[in-house]
Amino acid sequence: MSRSVLYSSSPLLASKTPVWRSKLIVAGIALAFAGLAGRAAYVQVIGNDFFQRQGQVRFARTLELPANRGRILDRNGLLLATSVVAPSIWAIPEDVDANRSQLGELARLLEMPLAELNKKLADEDKTFVWIKRQVDEPIAQKIHALGLKGIYQRKEYKRQYPEGETAAHVVGFTNVEDRGQEGIELAFNKELAGKPGSRKVIKDRLGRVVEDVGEQVPPLEGKDIQLSLDSKVQFFAYQKLRDAVIARKAKAGSVVVLDTITGEVLALANYPSYVPNKRQNLTGEQLRNRAITDTFEPGSTMKPITVAMALEAGRVKPQTLIETGPGRFSLGGFTISDTHNYGTLTVEGVIQKSSNVGALKIAQKMSPHEMWDTYTALGYGQKPQIQFPGAVTGRLRPWKTWRPVEQATMSYGYGLSASLFQMAHSYTALAHDGQIIPVTMLKSSEPAAGVKVFSADNARAVRKMLQMAAAPGGTGPLAQTVGYSVGGKSGTAHKQVGKGYASNKYRAWFTGMAPIENPRIIVAVMIDEPSDGKYFGGVAAAPVFSEVVQQTLRMMGVQPDMRVKPQIVYTPVEESF
């Protein structure tokens, strides 16, 4: 039997609610809504700027869109440096959800110990940690296929250097942030780097992108840089230099090849070298661009410069007789010697036989000021004006401080210092009919405008002497090559040790040009500390000159100016140093 309830008979339900109570409740609700409305107004209108800033700080992010770095090309358009996509792997440690087997596979793909990977992921308070920067694209795809939670990838670029160690000292390299650190990569970093773009996004508290906000700014790609370098000439020069350094059991070596018409650097090689993509455990010996950064006393390679300035000053002529007997000369308490007593020589003979006594007697016909002016005009004691980092000035003291013995020793290459690059550059005045021309690392098709230092007749006269020096009876017959006439000067200098000179350490040089009547290239070679007993420039450096000249002229399509004959091996005259 159902039981009915009479609500009206319940004293609790039948009691009347006071009016003030309902009004209080309604007023409370209205006040709450008013508070919410006020707060909303404050957030949306009055304090909007503050909350917008706080929101942006906490959740809005501007992501950088990396620009693709420009390429470095040789004069023929062959790649010397280029960028490839290389994703970087990162993680949010607290989000990583993977078992030991999965982490082991990730470590294997990244070629890193599992313990190192675990260490990177150990700190769960971090919301971002790099696992490995710039991995190869196929590896990145395999990592993505693992589907590991909390492991992410960021698109980046990595540099590749197809020519490897051959052109390393010219091209240089970038760091992991894709900024140039050495060579052309550093010298033209601004042009190569371009300008990164940007993308504004909203991220959640776990760092995940929720949505894009605002307009995306696309990156401005870097510009390509085309060098004057010929990668084929560079490769051959490096190869022959490396072989010579190894054969002579030398410490190091350098080669510079210049175009005598445009002033372009066709090759600049050093050994030892390095592979730009594998820079672990590198030493300064490998990284140093010796041809530009290292200075030496050039020895007898300075004698043609001494003769050229004497000819220009009108103090001697090519057939002027110079007495060099008995093969030694005392000056200021020092004795300057030749390797032999050559007796009376013509000025041409002084260069051919490389007589120190003859060179100093020619220098004595000029004032220190005259010599200093010419050295300066040829670029000695000044930083080379070239688009390349690290070029040094060398040493050339003010002429007023020269003592007579110092003027004498400078005539045959002691008492001043220069880089191999400076030496090669100064010889453009002899090859370019008396005009020294600017040099460049960038491709140029226009003839260079030179500055006159010597007359064309005097430059040609010295070229004839260089041809004699590189012929039988001179100090550099091993510089002879098949099909092309050559001229050049060998040099051998004791290495400085502290304030003195080492008796058993030498630097061997050979600097010259070809074809001799109308020079097309200048080649300068330096071998540092040959230790197999063959340390004269005419033996250690001249053969490298010969091989580089022949191959370079052939690659350039220069017609032979001599009847092609089998090369004859000559015994060089020992040079004085």
Side-chain angles (χ1 to χ4, degrees):
M1 180 174 123
S2 63
R3 193 174 168 188
S4 62
V5 177
L6 297 175
Y7 292 98
S8 60
S9 63
S10 172
L12 186 63
L13 295 177
S15 64
K16 292 183 179 181
T17 302
V19 175
W20 65 266
R21 185 182 296 178
S22 59
K23 289 182 179 180
L24 179 63
I25 293 173
V26 171
I29 294 173
L31 187 60
F33 273 108
L36 290 175
R39 180 63 177 172
Y42 177 78
V43 170
Q44 296 292 331
V45 181
I46 302 172
N48 181 260
D49 291 342
F50 171 79
F51 288 102
Q52 287 282 5
R53 286 195 302 270
Q54 293 301 310
Q56 289 175 358
V57 168
R58 288 169 170 76
F59 302 107
R61 295 289 185 270
T62 299
L63 303 181
E64 183 180 282
L65 301 177
N68 192 4
R69 193 173 176 86
R71 301 173 300 169
I72 300 177
L73 310 170
D74 85 336
R75 66 183 302 103
N76 300 310
L78 298 178
L79 283 174
L80 298 176
T82 187
S83 293
V84 296
V85 174
S88 288
I89 312 301
W90 63 281
I92 300 176
E94 64 178 352
D95 286 358
V96 174
D97 184 11
N99 57 39
R100 182 177 177 82
S101 175
Q102 291 173 317
L103 290 178
E105 178 63 13
L106 176 61
R108 187 189 67 81
L109 289 172
L110 294 175
E111 297 181 349
M112 64 190 304
L114 179 59
E116 182 182 345
L117 175 61
N118 287 331
K119 184 178 180 181
K120 289 177 179 288
L121 299 175
D123 190 354
E124 294 189 355
D125 291 335
K126 289 185 177 180
T127 59
F128 179 93
V129 62
W130 285 116
I131 303 298
K132 191 168 184 179
R133 301 290 296 274
Q134 299 180 349
V135 302
D136 293 335
E137 182 75 9
I139 298 297
Q141 292 175 357
K142 291 179 180 179
I143 292 173
H144 179 73
L146 294 177
L148 300 180
K149 182 181 178 182
I151 303 295
Y152 304 97
Q153 298 185 17
R154 177 182 175 181
K155 182 180 179 181
E156 291 189 321
Y157 295 96
K158 180 171 68 175
R159 292 298 259 183
Q160 295 287 344
Y161 301 95
E163 294 299 314
E165 64 183 20
T166 301
H169 290 105
V170 175
V171 179
F173 56 86
T174 62
N175 62 10
V176 72
E177 301 295 341
D178 220 17
R179 296 190 183 96
Q181 300 296 295
E182 295 285 347
I184 295 297
E185 292 276 32
L186 174 59
F188 292 91
N189 183 65
K190 185 177 180 180
E191 293 84 351
L192 289 164
K195 187 177 180 181
S198 61
R199 171 193 175 197
K200 291 186 176 181
V201 299
I202 298 295
K203 288 187 175 184
D204 63 13
R205 68 181 185 86
L206 298 179
R208 295 171 299 193
V209 174
V210 176
E211 65 173 325
D212 288 287
V213 293
E215 294 185 4
Q216 180 173 303
V217 179
L220 181 64
E221 307 295 358
K223 295 180 180 179
D224 292 345
I225 299 294
Q226 187 165 25
L227 303 183
S228 60
L229 214 70
D230 187 314
S231 58
K232 293 180 181 178
V233 174
Q234 177 76 16
F235 175 81
F236 189 83
Y238 174 78
Q239 186 181 57
K240 294 305 176 184
L241 174 69
R242 179 195 60 197
D243 293 347
V245 170
I246 294 172
R248 299 281 77 84
K249 299 179 181 179
K251 182 179 179 181
S254 300
V255 175
V256 176
V257 182
L258 300 180
D259 187 312
T260 63
I261 295 177
T262 61
E264 294 171 293
V265 178
L266 301 178
L268 193 157
N270 298 277
Y271 184 84
S273 186
Y274 64 95
V275 178
N277 290 116
K278 299 177 181 179
R279 301 192 295 276
Q280 295 83 2
N281 303 318
L282 284 182
T283 65
E285 294 291 306
Q286 294 170 284
L287 287 170
R288 227 167 54 236
N289 189 344
R290 299 168 185 272
I292 283 182
T293 64
D294 289 14
T295 59
F296 321 99
E297 291 179 310
S300 295
T301 50
M302 288 299 297
K303 290 172 184 174
I305 303 296
T306 300
V307 168
M309 65 175 73
L311 290 173
E312 191 68 20
R315 310 298 160 76
V316 297
K317 294 181 179 180
Q319 297 305 316
T320 298
L321 298 177
I322 305 294
E323 179 56 55
T324 69
R328 57 185 180 274
F329 188 87
S330 296
L331 183 64
F334 296 90
T335 299
I336 297 164
S337 303
D338 288 338
T339 55
H340 302 284
N341 179 6
Y342 296 116
T344 303
L345 295 173
T346 63
V347 170
E348 289 179 340
V350 168
I351 297 299
Q352 183 184 29
K353 301 300 183 182
S354 194
S355 169
N356 289 342
V357 176
L360 76 85
K361 287 192 172 182
I362 293 172
Q364 286 178 331
K365 298 178 181 293
M366 295 174 288
S367 69
H369 197 177
E370 287 177 303
M371 293 179 65
W372 187 89
D373 282 345
T374 303
Y375 285 144
T376 302
L378 294 173
Y380 293 104
Q382 302 170 69
K383 185 176 180 179
Q385 298 301 306
I386 186 171
Q387 312 94 322
F388 205 85
V392 293
T393 61
R395 180 169 58 91
L396 177 65
R397 294 191 298 108
W399 62 270
K400 290 183 179 181
T401 66
W402 294 7
R403 294 177 297 165
V405 69
E406 291 171 327
Q407 180 182 358
T409 59
M410 285 185 191
S411 69
Y412 56 88
Y414 281 85
L416 75 164
S417 66
S419 66
L420 185 69
F421 190 86
Q422 285 176 303
M423 175 58 66
H425 183 209
S426 70
Y427 267 52
T428 63
L430 303 176
H432 204 77
D433 285 344
Q435 295 184 345
I436 187 167
I437 59 176
V439 288
T440 180
M441 294 292 296
L442 302 179
K443 184 178 180 181
S444 173
S445 57
E446 298 297 324
V451 176
K452 180 181 176 182
V453 180
F454 310 119
S455 70
D457 288 341
N458 287 332
R460 283 191 286 267
V462 175
R463 289 207 299 269
K464 180 184 176 183
M465 299 177 200
L466 292 175
Q467 186 176 22
M468 293 170 62
T475 59
L478 295 181
Q480 293 290 310
T481 190
V482 178
Y484 298 101
S485 61
V486 301
K489 187 69 190 72
S490 59
T492 309
H494 285 287
K495 290 188 69 172
Q496 282 186 302
V497 178
K499 295 183 178 180
Y501 294 91
S503 61
N504 61 346
K505 293 184 179 181
Y506 308 88
R507 286 192 179 94
W509 304 63
F510 195 93
T511 305
M513 58 201 69
I516 200 63
E517 289 297 326
N518 188 21
R520 190 69 178 82
I521 59 171
I522 290 171
V523 176
V525 182
M526 186 278 294
I527 306 295
D528 188 13
E529 287 191 34
S531 60
D532 68 335
K534 298 178 180 179
Y535 53 81
F536 286 105
V539 178
V544 180
F545 170 90
S546 171
E547 293 172 316
V548 172
V549 163
Q550 184 168 331
Q551 190 71 13
T552 302
L553 291 177
R554 186 180 299 155
M555 289 177 179
M556 295 174 71
V558 177
Q559 292 297 315
D561 65 333
M562 295 176 63
R563 186 164 60 90
V564 177
K565 299 178 182 179
Q567 191 168 4
I568 301 172
V569 177
Y570 303 104
T571 301
V573 175
E574 289 186 355
E575 61 197 270
S576 301
F577 60 93

